Amino acid sequence: NALDLLWSLKLAGAIIAPLGETSDRDRIMQFASEVPTVIFDSPLGEGEAFVGTDNFHSIGLIVDYLCRTGEPPCFLEMPAVNANAAERRTAYVAAMERQGLTPQVVPVANGDWGFEQLGYEEGLRLLARRGFPTSTVLCANDRIAIGLLAAAYERGLRIGRGPGSAMRIAGHDDHPLSRFTCPPLTTVAQDHAAIAERSVATLFDMIEGGSTAGRAPVRLEGKLIMRLSA
């Protein structure tokens, strides 16, 4: 319905963040064949103009950091709500194998976008039965990590890098609340400003060139944000 409305407005172009796995890819690609369109945040597949984060770089960055500074991390994955879920899991496995280490992926129950609730509930369940294979947990995104921090607090566990800490927890995305968690969350920041700028610049190029055809994907590097949780 949203795409039909956008098309009816006779737009010069559009920048769209897909819903994820529930997106109607065929309808979006049909729209993109008629209206210059840039996809951002989560890719849909081949043949689209996409701007987003290079998950293989960003996950590799934080895996390398966690391995250098303590016990290698296990990976608490996210539900398969979009392409980022599979990319980040694959990137974690690749980064661990580059270190000569065995990847340890911790699956989650099927879920939706309620990541904080999922991190909290899965965290309580796993902590109760010592289900994390290492004391360092890399979460697929910050919102899951925020839920896991709450679960650890409820279990009386100290999180951080210092003496007496029981676990290290890290995330991905640099969510606006991640600097205010207790302790503040170590993560990888997506370059939101650069993603926005490149999306707009790519769209203007397509409009000015009179083209609706997709271009090579643009994937931007993240930045390691070291805080007290890991």
Side-chain angles (χ1 to χ4, degrees):
N1 289 340
L3 291 169
D4 290 342
L5 175 60
L6 289 175
W7 186 87
S8 73
L9 296 175
K10 307 299 182 184
L11 299 178
I15 300 174
I16 296 175
L19 292 171
E21 293 301 313
T22 59
S23 293
D24 185 342
R25 184 183 185 279
D26 291 341
R27 180 66 187 93
I28 292 176
M29 299 312 292
Q30 178 189 355
F31 177 87
S33 72
E34 301 167 351
V35 178
T37 301
V38 175
I39 306 295
F40 78 100
D41 182 53
S42 176
L44 289 174
E46 299 296 326
E48 66 197 17
F50 172 75
V51 180
T53 297
D54 183 343
N55 286 310
F56 284 86
H57 171 267
S58 58
I59 291 291
L61 198 65
I62 197 161
V63 167
D64 289 349
Y65 164 74
L66 293 172
C67 289
R68 287 197 316 270
T69 55
E71 187 177 11
C74 62
F75 183 75
L76 182 60
E77 64 177 356
M78 59 190 281
V81 294
N82 61 21
N84 286 325
E87 279 192 5
R88 292 179 187 180
R89 180 177 62 249
T90 303
Y92 162 78
V93 170
M96 290 289 283
E97 290 177 344
R98 282 198 304 272
Q99 299 274 348
L101 300 169
T102 301
Q104 300 186 84
V105 176
V106 180
V108 296
N110 291 331
D112 51 22
W113 293 88
F115 297 137
E116 293 88 352
Q117 185 73 21
L118 180 68
Y120 173 72
E121 292 177 350
E122 288 291 291
L124 284 179
R125 182 180 66 83
L126 290 163
L127 291 170
R129 61 183 183 88
R130 298 187 178 182
F132 287 112
T134 77
S135 62
T136 300
V137 182
L138 172 59
C139 299
N141 64 44
D142 286 353
R143 293 177 56 195
I144 289 176
I146 289 170
L148 180 56
L149 285 170
Y153 174 81
E154 189 166 316
R155 295 286 299 178
L157 298 175
R158 182 174 179 177
I159 306 302
R161 299 181 301 208
S165 295
M167 292 178 67
R168 296 189 300 162
I169 295 174
H172 187 289
D173 293 339
D174 197 24
H175 187 283
L177 296 180
S178 63
R179 70 188 63 189
F180 302 114
T181 58
C182 186
L185 185 65
T186 292
T187 184
V188 181
Q190 300 190 66
D191 193 340
H192 301 114
I195 290 172
E197 290 167 1
R198 288 295 292 273
S199 296
V200 172
T202 299
L203 181 62
F204 283 176
D205 285 346
M206 294 171 69
I207 292 170
E208 292 167 2
S211 172
T212 60
R215 301 185 173 202
V218 176
R219 294 181 177 269
L220 303 174
E221 294 184 352
K223 179 182 179 182
L224 181 65
I225 306 295
M226 293 176 288
R227 299 193 179 107
L228 298 179
S229 72

